Amino acid sequence: MTRKSQDANGSTIRDVAARAGVSASTVSRVLGGDYPVSTATRTRVLRAVRELDYVADARAKAVAGVGTPTLAFVLEDITGPSFALMAHGVEREATRLGHLCLVCSTEGDVQRELDFIETMRAQRTAAVILVGGTADTPEYRERTRRIADSLASAGSRLVLCGRPPLGPGAPVTVIEYDNEGGAYALVAHVLAQGHQRILFLGGKPHHATAQGRERGYLAAHRARGLDPDPELLLHGDFTRDSGHRLMRLALSRKLEFTAVVAATDMVAAGALTALHEAGLDVPGDVSLAGYDDIPFARDLYPALTTVHVPYEELGRLAVRTALGRTAESPDEHLLLGTHVVVRDSIAAVTS
Amino acid sequence: MTRKSQDANGSTIRDVAARAGVSASTVSRVLGGDYPVSTATRTRVLRAVRELDYVADARAKAVAGVGTPTLAFVLEDITGPSFALMAHGVEREATRLGHLCLVCSTEGDVQRELDFIETMRAQRTAAVILVGGTADTPEYRERTRRIADSLASAGSRLVLCGRPPLGPGAPVTVIEYDNEGGAYALVAHVLAQGHQRILFLGGKPHHATAQGRERGYLAAHRARGLDPDPELLLHGDFTRDSGHRLMRLALSRKLEFTAVVAATDMVAAGALTALHEAGLDVPGDVSLAGYDDIPFARDLYPALTTVHVPYEELGRLAVRTALGRTAESPDEHLLLGTHVVVRDSIAAVTS
DNA sequence: CGGCGTTGGGCAACCGGTTTCCACGCCGTA
DNA sequence: TACGGCGTGGAAACCGGTTGCCCAACGCCG
């Protein structure tokens, strides 16, 4: 409670100065670099620093304008493999560019997301990266645009990663990947194997990512002059359990299909297990495909045919474009390509 | 370059004060809470805040001693499922306790780890959580102890999560889980099914976690009066590719075994794929077990028998004990239990 | 009507750094 | 010997907040 010094807290620059017999400015200068300081003084200061195990308070430096820049990363749940991949990309690139990396899971709670972004604005982070699909409603656009403006006026930057864009004029960087195109290619591939009735295990009806993939599924059919049976279109979410549940549902309903396309690999994993549990052979009895190409896809049995999404690259790109933006460069909107990777879970129909 | 105000940066408390026609202290007080302020003044201030979209700079608050506390989380690679689980636990508990969460992947680079910890000390984080096994060498202990002291003297706290403890006296919180016991139980289970020659797909020889699991493997044999064939002990790392490679190696060497125990589920996944590729049936021809019980374990085919480790809980506990520690409570050392979860990948030998 | 307690709000010090500006001593040179 | 320039280092202002202290105005009561 006295003037302070040996508290549980680290020592201050003044403590170091006192011990070295110089002023605080001098300590700052020998630590800071470029200003000329005599060798004798420098030595004394450095010794004091070592003896006190001193490290300058990064928050104070930040206030003074020379802090470590930081960037924030907010997602629904780091536990999902594709999220983890993106997180990895973000984190790598961030530290490569000398930035710290704050992370927050929203657990899908919009309010938490809002609160967190406000906190990040207070932290003066260089950028806030929002990742993961969501419903593309007018309300979403308006809310997100407000966030973007607010962040921009604080000198920060909003990045949407795999999220619906906001339309022109919003100070936002958008990095997307092609959901519709990927699904189109994948379903076209399945159709080309002779399958006619393809069960689609989709996500939430309003979820933008889910919609994109569903559109691809439909478009691929139409391109062949086919009109898929609406019964074959099931909706759930992007989890393993959803896939498992939906697959059992389809089986119990005795729907007719020779192939299953799942909206994500996680969904496919759940579906695959359900098929196995029902004693069905994949791809002998039923073919199966996923979407995302998470690392585990190749260790499923049979190895899963799926659509590769460059998630890690997505993350890297997000921070690179967000940080690399020059003062008034135009707002960027990137659309990354996807491609189907053929493995063993799809067979040609024999008949 | 003038006196500032409408820069790209957010507005300051003085801007708000000016606009509301009060002093900065008053603004701080209406925002801060408890100090009595007249309704009229409060209204004016709040309006100014709204009009300027003002948020107090969190870094400045931190310097003044009322900042948002932060905690750091350093691991090798967020991409590993068990790491992701722990990260999730840490993140959840941290935000529950009102802390921000910094994250950094070291990619296994000791120097990066050191640098990052130093940065965290500068950030004055409430705690630094180091997670993931590593080699338990004297050099490790000494280095880590220095870090712990250094952090402690800065009022921060080091938490070792699934890492070798440092021995008594170090200002450290250690949260471990039982590697040897889990492996012992698992291997005992496999032996009880009648298997005599069990291939062990281990990790790096000096890696503490790997050693613990290997010890369990050996102890379970000895408890039955068995002495495992040294040929059956293979070493790699904890990745899927290592499991794949080692399994192929074992097959090409024509080693004799009826069961495989992998040091992690990832290793098991790689091994399983290698077995499938070789045309072997699991568990018909070969039984297989893993360790970790990552979410994917049940979607492998056959569903993987493995040892459950409460990773998410581990993460939650790490932050709770680190933050909950009262001034001079004794340094804690928790050892969490594990248990084997039996699925379909192990069959009894028919002989 | 005057003393007094309460309320509301400004000034200034402080948090821990950085940086501008200036003073001082020493040197070389005219 | 006087003077100008350079090499060093300190004092003080600043970054953007919070808070202790003090004072003015107001209402209440005697």
Side-chain angles (χ1 to χ4, degrees), chain B residues 125-299:
Chain B
T125 61
V128 175
I129 302 181
L130 235 52
V131 9
T134 187
D136 184 7
T137 62
E139 192 268 333
Y140 157 78
R141 293 196 177 218
E142 202 214 334
R143 161 166 50 91
T144 308
R145 176 175 214 119
R146 235 187 341 254
I147 291 171
D149 287 333
S150 169
L151 244 23
S153 80
S156 181
R157 180 83 187 164
L158 183 63
V159 181
L160 264 25
C161 213
R163 281 217 164 193
L166 301 183
V172 162
T173 302
V174 179
I175 320 269
E176 284 186 290
Y177 52 92
D178 191 359
N179 285 303
E180 181 166 348
Y184 182 99
L186 177 65
V187 173
H189 169 71
V190 177
L191 287 168
Q193 301 298 308
H195 297 274
Q196 302 267 359
R197 295 184 57 83
I198 306 176
L199 180 67
F200 186 76
L201 269 25
K204 300 197 191 104
H206 295 294
H207 195 277
T209 305
Q211 284 176 337
R213 293 178 188 183
E214 191 170 322
R215 273 200 305 276
Y217 167 86
L218 295 174
H221 279 81
R222 299 219 183 86
R224 288 208 156 218
L226 265 40
D227 202 13
D229 185 344
E231 267 199 342
L232 295 181
L233 244 159
L234 265 31
H235 294 278
D237 57 33
F238 280 175
T239 63
R240 179 265 180 206
D241 284 345
S242 172
H244 192 257
R245 188 175 55 75
L246 254 35
M247 195 67 240
R248 288 168 55 118
L249 186 69
L251 258 20
S252 74
R253 279 192 192 161
K254 303 207 186 310
L255 296 179
E256 288 192 24
F257 53 88
T258 61
V260 180
V261 168
T264 72
D265 287 352
M266 293 294 283
V267 172
L272 179 59
T273 298
L275 287 168
H276 282 146
E277 285 166 0
L280 262 22
D281 181 60
V282 179
D285 298 321
V286 178
S287 288
L288 175 67
Y291 202 117
D292 282 344
D293 193 24
I294 62 179
F296 251 104
R298 60 180 171 168
D299 287 318

Side-chain angles (χ1 to χ4, degrees), chain B residues 60-112:
Chain B
K61 299 186 78 151
V63 169
V66 291
T68 312
T70 301
L71 111 203
F73 181 62
V74 8
L75 40 47
E76 203 172 309
D77 176 3
I78 192 89
T79 275
S82 45
F83 283 162
L85 246 25
M86 297 190 49
H88 192 238
V90 165
E91 202 279 329
R92 269 184 82 85
E93 193 68 12
T95 78
R96 203 179 68 80
L97 297 175
H99 284 240
L100 255 27
C101 198
L102 277 164
V103 65
C104 163
S105 319
T106 62
E107 317 284 337
D109 182 340
V110 174
Q111 190 54 49
R112 286 259 307 260

Side-chain angles (χ1 to χ4, degrees), chain B residues 23 25-26 29 35 38 41 63:
Chain B
S23 75
S25 352
T26 303
R29 283 176 182 133
Y35 199 88
S38 76
T41 311
V63 169

Side-chain angles (χ1 to χ4, degrees), chain A residues 22-23 25-26 29 35 38 41 63:
Chain A
V22 297
S23 76
S25 350
T26 302
R29 295 207 258 250
Y35 199 88
S38 76
T41 310
V63 169

Side-chain angles (χ1 to χ4, degrees), chain A residues 13-35:
Chain A
I13 198 172
R14 284 170 256 276
D15 296 334
V16 177
R19 177 174 263 258
V22 297
S23 76
S25 350
T26 302
V27 175
S28 175
R29 295 207 258 250
V30 357
L31 261 28
D34 38 15
Y35 199 88

Side-chain angles (χ1 to χ4, degrees), chain B residues 303-314:
Chain B
L304 190 67
T305 290
T306 185
V307 177
H308 181 78
V309 179
Y311 281 114
E312 192 163 344
E313 170 102 17
L314 218 65

